[in-house]
Amino acid sequence: QVQLVESGGGLVQSGGSLRLSCAASGGFISIYVMGWYRQAPGKQRELVATIGGTTNYADSVKGRFTISRDEAKNTVYLQMNSLKPEDTAVFYCNTYPQLYSWGQGTQVTVSS
């Protein structure tokens, strides 16, 4: 059973940047397509970005977010630049499609 622990969230002003990390244990991320998801208050969880042989992004974050992974550290990252208040959400990582239980997520709050 793969366990996923997200970190790196926080409070940032509009236009700021954050780098999220997702540390995996119990399995190797290199064999999966990994994804970052987010859930804003009152909304369904949505897929933000994936990384496998290629990277893919939701239209709402394209050009601002970058997903990457370090297989030696078994960690997936999400670099978020030019943050907007509408990016406020709890961010989670998981495989794509989701195979494992959700972690606790990391809260990202963008103030205007």
Side-chain angles (χ1 to χ4, degrees), residues 58-99:
D59 287 344
S60 59
V61 307
K62 204 170 291 184
R64 300 187 296 122
F65 291 9
T66 303
I67 188 172
S68 62
R69 62 185 175 188
D70 185 331
E71 294 178 1
K73 295 183 178 179
N74 216 29
T75 299
V76 183
Y77 302 98
L78 187 68
Q79 177 67 42
M80 305 187 297
N81 299 327
S82 302
L83 283 161
K84 305 175 180 180
E86 52 262 46
D87 294 317
T88 294
V90 180
F91 282 73
Y92 304 86
C93 70
N94 213 306
T95 57
Y96 177 76
Q98 179 218 341
L99 294 174

